[in-house]
Amino acid sequence: MTDTARALPGVSKAVVPAAGLGTRFLPATKATPKEMLPIVDKPAIQYVVEEAVAAGLDDVLMITGRSKRSIEDHFDRAYELEEALRAKNDTQRLHSVRESSELAQVHYVRQGEPRGLGHAVLCAAAHVGGEPFAVLLGDDLIGAREALLRRMIEVRETYGGSVVALMEVEPEQVSLYGCAAIEPTDEDDVVAVTDLVEKPPADQAPSRWAIIGRYICDPAVFDVLRDTPPGRGGEIQLTDALRELAKRTTADGGPVHGVLFRGQRYDTGNKVDYLRTVVEFACERPDLAAEFLPWLRDFVAQADGRA
Ligand code: UTP
């Protein structure tokens, strides 16, 4: 650990942006945030909050937009429902209803207009203050057995600055992500990020390492975001602000490192990935797998027969 990194405060807060329009999932997302779409029987965003809490971050700030009520209601108590379940002695369901309201200290701030992920993160400035913080995209799930966020916090403690999570994708998928130019470090799973490009065409991508929805940001990102003009798609991009920080030294809010992630990740804002997520999560559930898996095998065998 460097002396500068040792002097830095630790990560204790998580920011969960959930104010995007979710146009890829219309019409379901017309009146419901995509982060509230159920993965089996829990909304995607609850898994994200559980992941933050598992990594030791129980102060969670949600960045919400239109139709934010369902998110607030989900992480709040539901007295009438609880009373009804208590009256029926349905302790299991009562527990499942109360669980989300007891998970973390959840705070909310509203992003008036969906002006991009960078703008959503900037809305967290007053709550976060001068400490490093984690950003977890509310529609991006990491397998429950993965220790990605904890590892990213460790990397921040070692190197200071900001940390992104990188996943190797197929060349034709690079244009869907922010993409990193990287250099090795002494640690196999950690790279120095020398440049970042948001959604590059495949032939201009600096690598196949794509940024996925987990970040540890140095608080210097706020000042950079204030000066970041709208980029790709007319939106203020977090990638553009991190690109600036990647050029800086620790004294100035830089640098940026990447954790190379090879585990399970699900983009639930995308229809096919959403379906895959629901099926995989259902197959892992002891209460559902015994009934669901045989049906799934039959269904696939029949579909193969038809093909
Ligand atoms: P996406 O890139 O998936 O954008 O945002 P989107 O607009 O929500 O979805 P599509 O592409 O129209 O289907 C990544 C994350 O950033 C949040 C989203 O809610 C999602 O968790 N976000 C995005 C905001 O909070 N505010 C924004 O202005 C944009």
Side-chain angles (χ1 to χ4, degrees):
M1 187 188 293
T2 65
D3 284 345
T4 323
R6 194 175 287 123
L8 293 169
V11 180
S12 65
K13 290 178 180 159
V15 173
V16 180
L21 292 178
T23 54
R24 282 171 295 162
F25 233 114
L26 283 168
T29 45
K30 184 178 172 191
T32 306
K34 65 177 165 180
E35 292 78 6
M36 285 299 291
L37 294 177
I39 308 299
V40 185
D41 52 7
K42 278 196 281 190
I45 199 166
Q46 183 171 338
Y47 294 94
V48 172
V49 174
E50 286 170 357
E51 182 191 337
V53 172
L57 315 178
D58 62 1
D59 181 311
V60 178
L61 177 72
M62 307 262 179
I63 315 294
T64 59
R66 67 201 172 94
S67 56
K68 66 163 185 168
R69 266 220 31 212
S70 58
I71 299 182
E72 288 197 0
D73 285 349
H74 185 72
F75 290 99
D76 197 358
R77 297 288 296 275
Y79 288 101
E80 275 181 21
L81 188 55
E82 288 177 26
E83 273 315 305
L85 294 169
R86 200 173 287 117
K88 286 194 208 166
N89 262 329
D90 193 341
T91 45
Q92 200 185 343
R93 291 200 177 97
L94 180 62
H95 173 72
S96 75
V97 163
R98 291 196 62 163
E99 205 180 11
S100 55
S101 64
E102 291 167 350
L103 260 180
Q105 272 182 281
V106 184
H107 309 270
Y108 300 90
V109 65
R110 191 131 183 175
Q111 183 189 16
E113 255 182 284
R115 291 172 56 201
L117 177 59
H119 181 254
V121 169
L122 188 51
C123 295
H127 181 84
V128 165
E131 291 176 13
F133 59 101
V135 175
L136 294 85
L137 300 194
D139 59 346
D140 212 337
L141 303 192
I142 300 295
R145 284 185 282 271
E146 314 289 352
L148 173 63
L149 197 57
R150 217 186 284 263
R151 178 67 181 135
M152 293 174 76
I153 294 170
E154 264 173 31
V155 170
R156 152 77 196 189
E157 284 165 0
T158 307
Y159 298 91
S162 299
V163 185
V164 292
L166 298 172
M167 206 163 174
E168 200 166 22
V169 298
E170 295 302 322
E172 60 275 14
Q173 287 200 309
V174 163
S175 61
L176 303 173
Y177 294 90
C179 185
I182 57 175
E183 280 174 5
T185 67
D186 293 340
E187 297 184 84
D188 282 350
D189 64 333
V190 182
V191 290
V193 173
T194 55
D195 199 5
L196 289 166
V197 196
E198 183 63 19
K199 301 192 170 78
D203 57 347
Q204 288 166 33
S207 75
R208 283 167 48 188
W209 288 97
I211 307 177
I212 58 169
R214 299 293 180 271
Y215 308 77
I216 305 295
C217 292
D218 187 274
V221 77
F222 293 128
D223 275 342
V224 178
L225 281 169
R226 282 185 195 102
D227 291 338
T228 301
R232 220 190 139 84
E235 297 191 335
I236 297 174
Q237 299 288 355
L238 181 59
T239 306
D240 292 343
L242 289 169
R243 178 180 201 216
E244 166 61 31
L245 290 178
K247 296 179 200 149
R248 298 189 182 180
T249 60
T250 314
D252 240 359
V256 177
H257 283 84
V259 169
L260 304 181
F261 179 63
R262 294 186 171 88
Q264 293 297 323
R265 176 245 174 191
Y266 308 85
D267 173 10
T268 68
N270 159 313
K271 283 180 209 168
V272 171
D273 238 19
Y274 174 81
L275 294 170
R276 180 169 74 85
T277 313
V278 174
V279 171
E280 281 195 32
F281 278 45
C283 291
E284 295 255 318
R285 283 270 297 258
D287 59 329
L288 300 175
E291 199 178 332
F292 183 64
L293 260 174
W295 171 85
L296 184 62
R297 280 196 200 100
D298 273 3
F299 179 79
V300 172
Q302 278 182 31
D304 280 350
R306 279 197 300 269

